[in-house]
Amino acid sequence: QPGTLRGDVDGDGAVTAADARRITAHVLGRPGAAAVPLEVGDLNGDGRITAVDAAIVARDAAGQNMGRFPVGRPAGELPPGAVAQIECS
């Protein structure tokens, strides 16, 4: 059951490496992978759940919070500008 914190996709009340693994399984479409709701799994605010979101959660779980992403903040509406966009070229 997903949590109410952004990044807490397994609903245990904390953002951990297990959440990053669950997002990765979802992105890869692994058989039996649990669905990841957009409101807790989209950490960069691009409207999709991707490997970038898994990397953001993994870095946060490893203590490398970049501060630009809403990891651990309540899911739902965020103030404008609270979520950074990542562009790859």
Side-chain angles (χ1 to χ4, degrees), residues 44-62:
N44 68 342
D46 67 356
R48 301 176 300 148
I49 297 172
T50 67
V52 172
D53 301 301
I56 291 167
V57 171
R59 286 191 66 165
D60 186 80

Side-chain angles (χ1 to χ4, degrees), residues 29-84:
R30 290 192 177 141
V36 176
L38 192 62
E39 62 271 10
V40 295
D42 177 21
L43 281 296
N44 68 342
D46 67 356
R48 301 176 300 148
I49 297 172
T50 67
V52 172
D53 301 301
I56 291 167
V57 171
R59 286 191 66 165
D60 186 80
Q64 300 173 348
N65 187 313
M66 295 175 276
R68 298 182 312 225
F69 302 102
V71 177
R73 293 188 191 145
E77 293 294 319
L78 289 175
V83 181

Side-chain angles (χ1 to χ4, degrees), residues 21-22 25-26 28-36:
R21 287 190 298 272
R22 186 172 277 197
H26 171 81
L28 295 175
R30 290 192 177 141
V36 176

Side-chain angles (χ1 to χ4, degrees), residues 1-4 8-12 22 34 37:
Q1 178 88 304
T4 58
D8 178 23
V9 298
D10 64 7
D12 68 356
R22 186 172 277 197

